[in-house]
Amino acid sequence: MKAVTWQGVHDMRVTEVPDPVLQEPTDAIIKITSTGLCGSDLHLYETLAPFMEAGDVVGHEPMGIVEEVGPAVTSLRPGDRVVVPFNVSCGSCWMCERQLYSQCETTQNHEHGTGASFFGYSKLYGQVPGGQAEYLRVPFADFLPVKVPHEHADDRFLFLSDVLPTAWQGVQYADVPDGGTLLVLGAGPIGDMAARMGVRQGYRVISVDRVPERLARVEAFGAETVHLDEAEQAGGVGDAVRDLTGGRGPDSVIDAVGMEAHGSPGASLVQKVTGMLPDAVAEPMIKKAGIDRLAALHSAVDAVRRGGTISISGVYGGAADPMPMMQLFDKQVQVRMGQANVRRWTDELLAMLVEDDPFGVDAFATHHLRLDEAPNAYEHFQKKEEGMVKVVFQP
Ligand code: NAD
Ligand code: ZN
Ligand code: ZN
């Protein structure tokens, strides 16, 4: 089959790889009909390169039609339409019983000290073949895949794989008081969706980014916007947002940017250099060093009101990142974060999508492309060119 494979820094290619086969009686094989490109894939493109191997199949936002199921699978049949959560979680371990699916103890990666495996996401997360491919092997098929109706085009349900649950968890963790103000840093797919959800919850939402067409999308949904570069020139995001909130700052902040934030030139260089080093040198370096670009997270700490909450959806990966502890402590800030526990939220989100489209998912993708077009799509998405906000590949 054809699949998008990682071949090196800034080098994703569509190559022929063996078709996946059933390996466990509880597996299913899915024929992929749509599969998303995510900001998380960009970390593999550059920063997390030392944890990738040439030929790794990437992608973690797939949906499609069940092609084949193992003999022990009872709740799925060939022909069922499913969306696959990005966490590989068993559904029955101690963590899964507590719905902490991104910490699944059956698929944790002890060798790297990391949580549950993900599809298509480096050795740090199990090196599981990913979903930007024609077919995908899905373990724990009685629990993991989300069965969806056959009505509607794929985009209605596709974002249950990642964007919707990640943004939803981000908003839940932000713990915004009724009628409160939510600042969302980043208007990529995750920040955009979190802003839409905040607006739908009745919060005042302020979104920050530097890409005009991304700001325009959230504005059309009812968020106020702040242009990052203008704010930086005028004294910083914190001041800009305090000006809009009577001097106090927003009740809650979602960081939907993560480790590749603009405005952190030193760390940007470190990321480029470690991406180029031999794996044996770079792997331990990344694990011990502060490789994150922290501009957005530092904005969050500065902007949030005293006693407010920061919810971090953006991915960070450093081990020695300097954090403003005095400010965090003195302002009495609560911080929550983590990979989304996707399956924790999919049933309630699916129920919202069956009859209606409250978050505008039908028109959320800016590009529908063939899998062959992946190499270009990665490049444009990373550079935020061509109005590219959310890409969906249709193998
Ligand atoms: P993206 O890269 O398209 O979006 C990031 C946005 O942040 C861009 O629009 C960029 O212009 C903006 N930005 C950069 N620096 C900024 C700054 N200093 N202040 C404000 N905005 C800034 O990616 P995405 O798909 O929206 O993902 C966002 C983050 O969420 C990534 O780190 C991704 O890995 C992470 N993510 C986490 C989970 C999870 O489970 N927690 C799931 C999916 C994605
Ligand atoms: Zn994703
Ligand atoms: Zn589990």
Side-chain angles (χ1 to χ4, degrees), residues 86-96 100-119 122-128 137 139-140 143-144:
F86 75 80
N87 328 110
V88 184
S89 41
C90 75
S92 54
C93 70
W94 194 92
M95 287 290 169
C96 286
L100 290 163
Y101 298 121
S102 67
Q103 311 301 327
C104 174
E105 289 181 337
T106 309
T107 73
Q108 274 177 21
N109 294 283
H110 299 289
E111 191 197 334
H112 292 285
T114 52
S117 294
F118 307 151
F119 289 100
S122 85
K123 284 183 267 181
L124 285 176
Y125 291 102
Q127 208 173 21
V128 183
R137 169 186 167 246
F140 313 115
F143 163 72
L144 190 60

Side-chain angles (χ1 to χ4, degrees), residues 25-213:
T26 46
D27 286 352
I29 302 293
I30 313 289
K31 182 174 171 35
I32 306 295
T33 54
S34 290
T35 184
L37 171 58
C38 178
S40 295
D41 296 322
L42 295 179
H43 309 318
L44 308 178
Y45 202 52
E46 187 170 289
T47 311
L48 295 180
F51 298 99
M52 297 297 286
E53 267 175 30
D56 281 350
V57 179
V58 294
H60 59 265
E61 303 189 347
M63 73 175 288
I65 303 293
V66 177
E67 180 92 356
E68 201 186 345
V69 296
V73 176
T74 57
S75 61
L76 272 194
R77 279 186 309 185
D80 283 343
R81 190 185 196 202
V82 293
V83 176
V84 184
F86 75 80
N87 328 110
V88 184
S89 41
C90 75
S92 54
C93 70
W94 194 92
M95 287 290 169
C96 286
E97 271 170 16
R98 284 152 187 80
Q99 298 190 303
L100 290 163
Y101 298 121
S102 67
Q103 311 301 327
C104 174
E105 289 181 337
T106 309
T107 73
Q108 274 177 21
N109 294 283
H110 299 289
E111 191 197 334
H112 292 285
T114 52
S117 294
F118 307 151
F119 289 100
Y121 216 76
S122 85
K123 284 183 267 181
L124 285 176
Y125 291 102
Q127 208 173 21
V128 183
Q132 287 168 10
E134 290 179 302
Y135 294 91
L136 178 69
R137 169 186 167 246
V138 179
F140 313 115
D142 269 327
F143 163 72
L144 190 60
V146 183
K147 244 200 264 191
V148 298
H150 285 272
E151 290 85 59
H152 304 295
D154 277 2
D155 289 18
R156 177 64 68 93
F157 303 115
L158 174 65
F159 304 113
L160 289 168
S161 55
D162 183 342
V163 175
L164 287 162
T166 297
W168 192 246
Q169 178 169 310
V171 174
Q172 307 299 317
Y173 283 11
D175 198 21
V176 190
D178 282 347
T181 300
L182 172 65
L183 173 67
V184 183
L185 300 175
I190 302 299
D192 182 340
M193 186 54 71
R196 293 173 188 222
M197 288 170 162
V199 169
R200 284 285 174 268
Q201 301 279 77
Y203 309 140
R204 178 179 179 202
V205 176
I206 303 170
S207 284
V208 182
D209 204 298
R210 67 181 337 185
V211 184
E213 66 266 17

